[in-house]
Amino acid sequence: MQRKPKETSVNLSVNLGGMAMKNPVTVASGTFGAGMEYHDFVDVAALGAVTTKGVSLNGWKGNASPRIAETASGMLNSIGLQNPGVQHLKDIELPWLAEIGATAMVNVSGHSFDEYVAVIEALEEAPVAAYEVNISCPNVDAGGMTMGCHVPSVEKVVSLCRAATKRPLIVKLTPNVTDITEIAKAAEAAGADGISLINTLLGMAVDARTRRPKLARVVGGYSGPAVKPVALRCVWQVCNAVKIPVIGIGGITCAQDVLEFILVGAHAVEIGTMNFVRPDAAFRIAEELPHLCQQLGIKNLAEFRGTLQL
């Protein structure tokens, strides 16, 4: 039986750079697919948005296995943006999301500047509410994080994507940089409507008995509860550096975590690793959020946002 959230009087609505969200909760790309396999159990459209798995122009096979390693307080992944390509997204997943009334944000990936643009151009006639331009994945050798670490490449890819669409453009940033505010300001100046952060931290795991790395690619993206303090710091810094909305990502496990990200300035959040712990995690958090707001006397998230007292 499908579970639907209970209604409350708390105003959870968000305008994220032009994308209207009924609540501030979406899922992190690559942790949820498009939600088709969940819909018998939860109302996928109840989320503020569904963020799709990163999509490239043509399908990518991803990295060799093993490509997942669990840690004491998180996980490492080196999936490598495996996906069937943009045509599959257009033919199958986006029409389904539109049919159930979900708001779709497409995570755009590419090996080159031209591929980012080509993906957006291929989606311009599809039911897409916003694009999340992924220039922060640490698990590919070309594109991804290599484009998100330097101001000139950030400016170029965002400018090209901006010219290709009038839809809201969210740029996803990596924490694996010296100064994340410099990168965020470059994305804003190049035309981004919003920033999402953080993508995973670069990490590794080894096995002392076999004397081998636990990931075939040796290093991978580290996520989970352990990264939350880093994510909060990055979100707070970026919210104080740019004027566009910010999506907070990293270690969110409950409604209180959501409010902490909003307290430091975030407009919305993405739930990632918790989806592997509990497939209904994002929905449970979205259900808990208005009740926690009522307990804390928060009637409108907009009035609470960015009110951290220093």
Side-chain angles (χ1 to χ4, degrees):
M1 180 181 295
Q2 189 185 81
R3 189 177 77 235
K4 291 182 178 287
K6 299 177 182 178
E7 294 185 1
T8 69
S9 59
V10 179
N11 184 359
L12 300 177
S13 62
V14 176
N15 183 327
L16 190 73
M19 178 176 70
M21 299 174 66
K22 66 187 72 175
N23 62 61
V25 179
T26 182
V27 286
S29 66
T31 67
F32 188 75
M36 297 178 76
E37 61 268 44
Y38 300 96
H39 199 56
D40 286 343
F41 309 100
V42 291
D43 178 12
V44 171
L47 295 177
V50 174
T51 305
T52 69
K53 179 170 177 54
V55 63
S56 54
L57 187 61
N58 301 305
W60 289 359
K61 292 182 179 180
N63 294 329
S65 296
R67 51 189 191 176
I68 293 286
E70 190 173 353
T71 70
S73 52
M75 64 179 282
L76 285 157
N77 93 82
S78 182
I79 303 301
L81 293 172
Q82 177 182 338
N83 75 95
V86 73
Q87 194 61 49
H88 180 272
L89 184 70
K90 288 174 64 176
D91 292 345
I92 306 297
E93 295 172 334
L94 290 176
W96 178 80
L97 286 168
E99 181 182 348
I100 66 167
T103 299
M105 179 163 65
V106 173
N107 184 278
V108 177
S109 303
H111 278 126
S112 66
F113 294 115
D114 290 342
E115 186 171 5
Y116 281 92
V117 174
V119 170
I120 289 175
E121 289 177 341
L123 290 168
E124 279 295 271
E125 300 303 320
V128 176
Y131 299 111
E132 183 181 50
V133 180
N134 185 357
I135 57 171
S136 53
C137 178
N139 298 320
V140 292
D141 293 322
M145 194 176 79
T146 59
M147 291 187 181
C149 290
H150 309 286
V151 166
S153 58
V154 171
E155 291 175 338
K156 182 174 181 179
V157 69
V158 176
S159 295
L160 289 170
C161 291
R162 176 74 286 161
T165 184
K166 293 183 179 179
R167 286 174 170 161
L169 199 66
I170 314 301
V171 179
K172 189 170 185 177
L173 302 186
T174 175
N176 302 301
V177 295
T178 302
D179 184 354
I180 199 165
T181 63
E182 181 182 39
I183 304 297
K185 287 188 285 189
E188 179 182 37
D193 296 302
I195 300 291
S196 59
L197 71 157
I198 57 175
N199 207 323
T200 53
L201 293 157
L202 194 60
M204 68 182 291
V206 298
D207 188 327
R209 294 181 178 178
T210 64
R211 303 188 186 186
R212 297 189 60 82
K214 292 187 177 181
L215 298 175
R217 199 170 181 268
V218 183
V219 298
Y222 186 47
S223 63
V227 311
K228 181 187 155 195
V230 177
L232 271 175
R233 182 266 298 175
C234 290
V235 168
W236 175 69
Q237 288 179 319
V238 169
C239 285
N240 283 284
V242 301
K243 294 182 172 61
I244 52 179
V246 171
I247 302 176
I249 317 166
I252 297 170
T253 65
C254 61
Q256 181 168 315
D257 290 339
V258 175
L259 286 185
E260 290 178 12
F261 275 90
I262 294 173
L263 177 63
V264 301
H267 274 64
V269 298
E270 293 182 11
I271 312 300
T273 303
M274 271 302 292
N275 293 321
F276 299 112
V277 179
R278 287 188 55 142
D280 67 340
F283 302 90
R284 178 175 55 85
I285 291 169
E287 289 175 6
E288 291 173 353
L289 183 60
H291 302 291
L292 179 58
C293 287
Q294 287 182 324
Q295 292 175 22
L296 299 178
I298 301 168
K299 297 180 179 179
N300 189 326
L301 285 183
E303 297 174 355
F304 178 72
R305 183 180 303 117
T307 59
L308 182 70
Q309 299 178 23
L310 300 177

